[in-house]
């Protein structure tokens, strides 16, 4: 009897340690002992980052921190739900999408056919899965369309084109009849800035490949709606807006929110031009205004989880990579070497980029956890690729 009680208590302690203590121990040790230094060679750094990205590329559910560990039974149940794939929002959603997109961008820029072939095999199950449009349940999942399009440009496979067309049709069917935009969640009366970075690059790339002016206009509407209703005086986007009363909600200096906005804005500059997009100059001007304010919020070649503050500044590698990549994508000259000097010291010796803030639970519920993220890992690889492309 006593042995059974001791065993139960031990199991409970192990569970408590795993969810409540272990993440903070790992974070403390990683930050102190297991990071690269700025003396690491750039080529070795790139090789390790790609190797780490490939290691996690087959995981359909992200390793990115999903919530603060505040109460371990809740976290335990959330983890079980993810393990059994009941959380369809997280399966093949934006962290993995930008990871795979980054792997493709970098492999394509150095003509690494072997990695591209591996990537195709990794994505084949998703292409088959997308044949059932009922599997597309969340806007987050549409992010996968960008890498599928880029692979289609190489392999010309009909199943890849059909998968992308299904995603496009899903977006068109999701246009809200009242506001004529694609909401973060269908039929809800709120909207998040995340949508811009999740769908606009895909819409614009599809429009570029298949000559769809209507999709350029659809992407323009997403950006225009936010520019007119969801920007602060600094030109930074609020996290979201309450549509029923046009009230901006959430932070206007959330770094990753700015990153989502800039991914859509920079994709407009990269994938359209004056001839194909009558609003091109309008968006180019908006980006130019934003860049001036970004320079004021930069600190040692990076941007934090929240911008423009001096109190409790905390680096966020996802914000930094989203903003830096967006600027590069839009053709703005950036200092790669200085950025690499910064990001190397925030990368573990095994190649995993660290210090990414966890997934935001909701408006004004921003994560206080920092760790690895597929999102940042992929964006850094996309940054590498811009060296060749530019």
């Amino acid at each position: 009897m006593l042995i059974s009680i001791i065993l139960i208590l031990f199991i409970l302690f192990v569970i408590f340690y795993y969810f409540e203590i272990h993440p903070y121990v790992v974070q403390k040790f990683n930050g102190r002992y297991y990071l690269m230094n700025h003396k690491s060679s750039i080529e070795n750094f790139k090789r390790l980052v790609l190797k780490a990205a490939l290691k996690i590329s087959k995981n359909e559910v992200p390793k990115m921190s999903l919530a603060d560990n505040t109460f371990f039974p809740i976290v335990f149940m959330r983890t079980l739900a993810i393990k059994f794939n009941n959380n369809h929002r997280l399966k093949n959603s934006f962290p993995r999408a930008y990871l795979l997109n980054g792997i493709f961008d970098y492999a394509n820029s150095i003509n690494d056919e072997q990695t591209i072939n591996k990537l195709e095999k990794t994505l084949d199950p998703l292409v088959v899965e997308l044949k059932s449009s009922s599997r597309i349940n969340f806007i987050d999942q549409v992010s996968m369309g960008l890498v599928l399009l880029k692979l289609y440009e190489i392999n010309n496979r009909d199943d890849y084109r059909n998968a992308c067309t299904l995603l496009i049709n899903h977006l068109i069917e999701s246009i809200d009849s009242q506001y004529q935009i694609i909401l973060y969640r269908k039929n809800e009366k709120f909207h998040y800035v995340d949508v811009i970075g999740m769908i606009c690059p895909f819409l614009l790339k599809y429009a570029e490949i298949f000559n769809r002016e209507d999709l350029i206009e659809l992407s323009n509407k997403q950006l225009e709606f936010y520019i007119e209703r969801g920007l602060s005086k600094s030109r930074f986007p609020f996290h979201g807006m309450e549509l029923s009363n046009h009230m901006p909600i959430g932070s206007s200096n959330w770094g990753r929110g700015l990153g989502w906005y800039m991914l859509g804005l920079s994709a407009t500059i990269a994938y359209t031009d004056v001839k194909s997009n009558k609003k091109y100059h309008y968006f180019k001007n908006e980006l130019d205004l934003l860049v001036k304010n970004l320079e004021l919020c930069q600190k040692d070649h990076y941007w934090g989880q929240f911008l423009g503050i001096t109190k409790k500044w905390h680096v966020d590698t996802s914000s930094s990579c989203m903003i830096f990549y967006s600027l590069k994508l839009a053709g703005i000259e950036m200092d790669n070497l200085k950025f690499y000097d910064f990001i190397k010291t925030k990368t573990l010796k095994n190649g995993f980029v660290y210090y990414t803030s966890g997934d935001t639970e909701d408006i004004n519920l921003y994560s206080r956890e920092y760790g690895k993220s597929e999102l940042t890992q992929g964006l850094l690889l996309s940054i590498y690729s811009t060296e060749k492309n530019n």
Side-chain angles (χ1 to χ4, degrees):
M1 182 67 177
L2 181 61
I3 294 175
S4 298
I5 293 173
I6 292 172
L7 183 61
I8 291 170
L9 290 173
F10 176 75
I11 292 171
L12 289 174
F13 173 77
V14 169
I15 293 172
F16 178 82
Y17 173 83
Y18 181 78
F19 289 104
E20 200 67 22
I21 301 174
H22 183 68
Y24 298 101
V25 172
V26 169
Q27 191 174 114
K28 192 174 183 65
F29 273 80
N30 279 340
R32 182 169 294 183
Y33 301 111
Y34 297 113
L35 293 172
M36 292 185 190
N37 61 58
H38 64 86
K39 295 180 181 179
S40 304
S41 74
I42 291 176
E43 290 309 312
N44 185 53
F45 172 55
K46 291 179 179 179
R47 180 183 62 80
L48 289 172
V49 170
L50 177 62
K51 183 179 178 181
L54 289 169
K55 186 175 181 179
I56 57 173
S57 63
K58 294 189 182 299
N59 298 329
E60 291 185 324
V61 176
K63 297 289 184 183
M64 180 181 182
S65 176
L66 299 172
D68 288 349
N69 288 320
T70 54
F71 189 45
F72 83 91
I74 294 175
V75 178
F76 179 65
M77 294 306 295
R78 182 187 290 117
T79 303
L80 285 179
I82 293 170
K83 289 290 184 186
F84 288 105
N85 291 330
N86 289 330
N87 193 330
H88 295 298
R89 182 182 75 84
L90 295 173
K91 187 177 178 183
N92 286 319
S93 67
F94 73 88
R96 191 185 191 213
Y98 274 94
L99 173 74
L100 300 181
N101 183 69
I103 292 172
F104 174 86
D105 283 348
Y106 183 55
N108 190 48
S109 72
I110 60 173
N111 298 314
D112 183 353
E113 293 184 10
Q114 184 179 2
T115 296
I116 291 174
N117 290 336
K118 286 181 181 177
L119 190 60
E120 198 171 326
K121 290 178 181 177
T122 299
L123 280 163
D124 279 348
L126 173 65
V127 171
V128 173
E129 192 174 283
L130 284 174
K131 287 181 180 179
S132 170
S133 58
S134 62
R135 303 288 294 197
I136 309 169
N137 302 305
F138 298 97
I139 288 296
D140 312 56
Q141 298 166 318
V142 176
S143 307
M144 294 295 292
L146 186 59
V147 67
L148 293 177
L149 277 176
K150 291 178 179 180
L151 278 167
Y152 169 74
E153 286 188 292
I154 290 177
N155 62 27
N156 290 312
R157 283 173 49 179
D158 286 339
D159 54 344
Y160 272 63
R161 175 174 181 167
N162 294 338
C164 292
T165 301
L166 282 170
L167 291 171
I168 288 293
N169 291 341
H170 173 75
L171 289 178
I172 292 172
E173 292 165 5
S174 300
I175 297 173
D176 185 79
S177 58
Q178 183 176 355
Y179 300 101
Q180 295 301 304
I181 59 168
I182 298 162
L183 300 180
Y184 185 67
R185 294 290 179 261
K186 275 186 180 182
N187 303 319
E188 297 286 352
K189 295 303 177 185
F190 60 84
H191 189 43
Y192 291 170
V193 70
D194 310 46
V195 175
I196 290 173
M198 290 178 183
I199 70 171
C200 287
F202 171 57
L203 283 169
L204 294 165
K205 187 67 177 176
Y206 192 99
E208 180 187 56
I209 295 172
F210 300 113
N211 193 27
R212 290 280 300 271
E213 291 185 13
D214 60 315
L215 297 183
I216 294 176
E217 291 178 8
L218 181 58
S219 177
N220 286 352
K221 282 182 181 179
Q222 315 310 308
L223 283 163
E224 284 181 282
F225 189 88
Y226 229 91
I227 289 170
E228 292 169 4
R229 297 171 176 81
L231 298 190
S232 65
K233 288 184 179 179
S234 65
R235 313 311 293 169
F236 291 173
F238 286 95
H239 188 159
M241 60 183 89
E242 194 69 38
L243 297 173
S244 59
N245 56 17
H246 304 288
M247 176 70 71
I249 52 178
S251 171
S252 65
N253 68 334
W254 176 42
R256 196 149 66 230
L258 176 61
W260 284 126
Y261 174 60
M262 288 190 66
L263 284 171
L265 203 56
S266 62
T268 305
I269 307 304
Y271 298 142
T272 71
D273 54 30
V274 179
K275 290 182 180 179
S276 63
N277 189 353
K278 60 186 178 183
K279 294 292 182 73
Y280 181 87
H281 282 307
Y282 172 71
F283 295 122
K284 179 67 168 63
N285 182 62
E286 195 63 40
L287 181 63
D288 290 342
L289 291 172
L290 190 59
V291 168
K292 291 179 181 178
N293 289 327
L294 271 174
E295 291 173 353
L296 301 174
C297 300
Q298 188 175 337
K299 181 178 180 181
D300 299 329
H301 307 287
Y302 72 85
W303 293 270
Q305 185 181 14
F306 296 94
L307 281 69
I309 58 175
T310 55
K311 186 179 180 182
K312 293 185 179 180
W313 178 279
H314 199 297
V315 66
D316 187 341
T317 50
S318 70
S319 300
S320 299
C321 284
M322 288 172 111
I323 294 169
F324 194 86
Y325 171 64
S326 295
L327 294 172
K328 296 275 287 181
L329 187 64
I332 296 172
E333 285 293 323
M334 303 296 292
D335 191 327
N336 287 349
L337 293 179
K338 288 183 178 179
F339 183 77
Y340 291 158
D341 281 345
F342 148 69
I343 202 73
K344 276 190 290 186
T345 61
K346 300 295 181 287
T347 303
L348 299 175
K349 292 177 181 178
N350 60 7
F352 284 105
V353 186
Y354 210 63
Y355 287 110
T356 289
S357 63
D359 194 19
T360 303
E361 288 191 60
D362 211 332
I363 295 292
N364 294 328
L365 292 174
Y366 300 99
S367 179
R368 292 171 294 173
E369 286 203 357
Y370 301 87
K372 305 172 189 175
S373 169
E374 291 84 352
L375 174 66
T376 309
Q377 200 80 23
L379 284 164
L380 182 54
L381 289 172
S382 290
I383 289 170
Y384 294 167
S385 73
T386 60
E387 296 174 16
K388 298 285 184 180
N389 293 342
N390 284 348

